[in-house]
Amino acid sequence: MDNGNFDDPDALDLNLLREHLDTLKNGKLINKPIYDFKTHSRTGYEQFNPYHTIVIEGLFALNKIIKDCLDVKVFIESFGLQRLERRINRDMNERGRARSDIIKQWEETVEPMYLKHVLSTKKYADI
């Protein structure tokens, strides 16, 4: 998907993530993409070794494509205002974005996508 909506699971390569998780579970290393949030592009790859415990975090960690390969699934729910405040702080400090642009994106895509694609995955959580 290339519509600029990075809060839609179709914007991510979840199939590659699933492939990488399966490879890691089989004890083999992967070449993990390095992603640049400012340019919205992959800037290269880095080797990532398998470990006994790997934590997958993010909006789509319980997405149907990857949830079945996870041993323990946790859903941490926070209130909308908390999520918005964290996003404003992150995007202003780490990505140089304007507060008004962040709020506009929140209203137009972030919160609607959370309600559509993220909150519904809560039912798959063990905790």
Side-chain angles (χ1 to χ4, degrees), residues 9-25:
D10 290 340
L12 303 175
D13 194 347
L14 292 175
N15 290 312
L16 178 62
L17 176 57
R18 174 59 189 252
E19 179 183 322
H20 281 178
L21 290 172
D22 290 339
T23 301
L24 291 166
K25 282 186 114 173

Side-chain angles (χ1 to χ4, degrees), residues 88-106:
I88 289 169
N89 288 332
R90 181 198 68 195
D91 286 5
M92 288 178 69
N93 295 324
E94 296 177 19
R95 300 178 185 169
R97 297 189 60 216
R99 181 183 185 89
S100 60
D101 292 340
I102 299 165
I103 292 171
K104 181 178 185 226
Q105 182 185 21
W106 174 269

Side-chain angles (χ1 to χ4, degrees), residues 7 59-60 75 77 80 83 106-107 109-121:
D7 292 289
L59 295 175
F60 307 116
F75 188 95
E77 189 169 10
R83 294 193 316 273
W106 174 269
E107 292 170 347
T109 61
V110 175
E111 189 65 1
M113 293 294 100
Y114 173 82
L115 295 172
K116 181 177 181 181
H117 296 293
V118 179
L119 188 58
S120 63
T121 66

